[in-house]
Amino acid sequence: MQNSVTILGAGVMGLGLARHFLRAEFVVAVIDPSPKSLENARVLLAPAVLSGPTPLLVTAFADLPDNWRDCPLVIEAVPERLDIKRAALAAVESFFRPDTLIASNTSGLTTTELTESMAHPERLAIAHFFNPADVIPVVELVASASMPAARLDDLATLLRRSGKLPAILHREVPGFVANRIQHAMMRECFHLLQEGVADAATIDDILRWSIGVRMAAFGPFLQRDLNGLDTHLAIADYLYPGLSSTTSPAPTLRAKVAAGDLGRKTGRGFYDWDATREQRVRTAEAALAGLIRDLTAQEMKEGE
C-alpha cells in the first residue's frame, strides 16, 4: 500500500487533500463520522476520481478493509480543537500499525500538546497544508520532539512523491512561518485601510500585482538580493518606525466578525459574494494552479 493515504475529516481541508492525492493516483480513504459530510465528499470528489482511484468514504475505522492497517500515512484534518484532535489520534493509534506516519494539519496547536497522550509520539509531525490544499504546493513540516530525522524524511519523501513541496522547519514557533508573515502583512494592511490610505480593493490590487507576483517567482530573500541589500537597509532604516506595531487585531476586523460579515462563508466580508465573484475566484484558482505547475516543474527540473 505504498501509494495510499488516510484522511481524517471531510471538511474543506480534508476534501482538498483528498483531491490532491487522488489526482496523484494515490489510493485514498476519507473518514468522517457524518454521513452527510461523506455524501457531500462523494459529489465534490467526483471530478478528481476521473484521474485517480475511487476513494473509500467511511464513517469509522472499523469500516476500512483490514489490510488498510498497512497504510503508510494518516493525515488528521479534523476541527481545530485539542480534544477532538487527541481523540482522532487515539483512534489512529488503535487501528494502524505502530510505524504508520501521522501528520496533523493543525495551524495553531503544538506537537507537545498533540502527542501528550500518544503511545508512539515519535511518528507524529505537523504538516501544515494551505487552502486550497489541492492547489498550493508547499507544506510546512514540524517534527515532534521524539521523531527521528529519518522518519521526518520519510514523510517529506512521501509528500514529495504526491507532488507537494515539503518545507521542514528547524524548530516549532506559533503560526509556523507562513502564518506569521501573513499576519504581519495583514496587520499593516488593516492599518493602511483604517488610516484611509487606500480601500480594500485597491490594497488587494497593489499586493497582487507587485509583491504577490514577485513572491511567487522569487520569494522574499532572493527578491532582496535582486534589489540590493544596501537598498533594502536604507529603506528599512526610515520605514520601520512608521509601520504598525499594534498587538491587538484591527477594530475593522472585529467589527466585521461581530456583524457576521465573515467573507465567502456568509456571503459578505470585504466583498459581496455573488455568483459573479464565485466564478471569478474559480477562474483565478485555475490560473493559479497553472502558474504553480509551471513554476514547480521548473524548480524540480533544476533540482534533478
Side-chain angles (χ1 to χ4, degrees):
M1 297 188 68
Q2 184 181 26
N3 277 8
S4 61
V5 62
T6 302
I7 297 167
L8 307 187
V12 172
M13 289 302 295
L15 293 185
L17 290 168
R19 277 192 296 271
H20 164 73
F21 283 100
L22 286 168
R23 289 169 183 162
E25 299 186 347
F26 275 60
V27 181
V28 176
V30 178
I31 303 175
D32 194 291
S34 166
K36 183 178 180 180
S37 294
L38 292 180
E39 184 55 38
N40 182 55
R42 196 178 311 280
V43 173
L44 294 179
L45 293 179
V49 171
L50 296 177
S51 57
T54 302
L56 296 169
L57 302 174
V58 299
T59 58
F61 291 99
D63 297 328
L64 291 171
D66 193 60
N67 71 335
W68 202 263
R69 296 176 188 272
D70 296 330
C71 180
L73 174 63
V74 177
I75 302 176
E76 172 272 302
V78 303
E80 193 74 359
R81 274 180 43 188
L82 183 57
D83 59 334
I84 296 176
K85 289 186 180 293
R86 281 180 174 169
L89 294 174
V92 169
E93 288 207 295
S94 68
F95 182 84
F96 292 93
R97 298 183 324 189
D99 61 343
T100 296
L101 287 164
I102 305 172
S104 174
N105 183 47
T106 181
S107 57
L109 298 171
T110 66
T111 56
T112 301
E113 292 171 312
L114 292 168
T115 60
E116 187 175 288
S117 57
M118 287 183 65
H120 294 280
E122 72 280 356
R123 58 178 172 159
L124 181 133
I126 289 173
H128 185 217
F129 297 88
F130 295 87
N131 187 30
D134 56 326
V135 174
I136 306 300
V138 79
V139 186
E140 294 177 312
L141 296 183
V142 183
S144 61
S146 55
M147 174 177 263
R151 294 297 279 150
L152 186 63
D153 288 341
D154 290 342
L155 175 57
T157 298
L158 199 157
L159 291 173
R160 196 175 290 112
R161 194 165 68 239
S162 79
K164 289 295 186 183
L165 296 177
I168 297 175
L169 276 60
H170 296 161
R171 66 184 184 90
E172 190 169 32
V173 292
F176 315 119
V177 172
N179 270 341
R180 291 179 74 91
I181 294 172
Q182 178 173 247
H183 278 266
M185 180 188 73
M186 284 308 304
R187 176 170 61 182
E188 188 62 29
C189 287
F190 279 114
H191 174 70
L192 293 169
L193 181 68
Q194 291 184 179
E195 290 296 307
V197 175
D199 58 31
T202 300
I203 293 172
D204 276 354
D205 283 344
I206 292 170
L207 293 186
R208 288 175 65 205
W209 303 117
S210 63
I211 296 172
V213 292
R214 295 195 305 179
M215 290 302 100
F218 304 117
F221 287 106
L222 179 54
Q223 182 64 49
R224 294 308 92 191
D225 269 7
L226 290 171
N227 287 2
L229 299 184
D230 53 337
T231 301
H232 182 80
L233 176 59
I235 296 172
D237 270 335
Y238 74 76
L239 192 59
Y240 276 24
L243 295 177
S244 173
S245 59
T246 181
T247 58
S248 299
T252 303
L253 176 59
R254 290 195 185 277
K256 288 281 186 185
V257 172
D261 295 338
L262 307 182
R264 188 183 200 175
K265 65 176 69 176
T266 60
R268 176 177 293 182
F270 286 103
Y271 297 89
D272 290 331
W273 285 85
D274 55 14
T276 300
R277 187 159 308 281
E278 287 286 354
Q279 182 57 49
R280 287 178 63 184
V281 168
R282 286 192 291 271
T283 300
E285 285 181 345
L288 179 61
L291 173 62
I292 288 172
R293 281 194 299 270
D294 292 343
L295 290 174
T296 54
Q298 181 62 30
E299 292 271 342
M300 291 178 180
K301 183 178 179 180
E302 292 173 356
E304 291 177 354

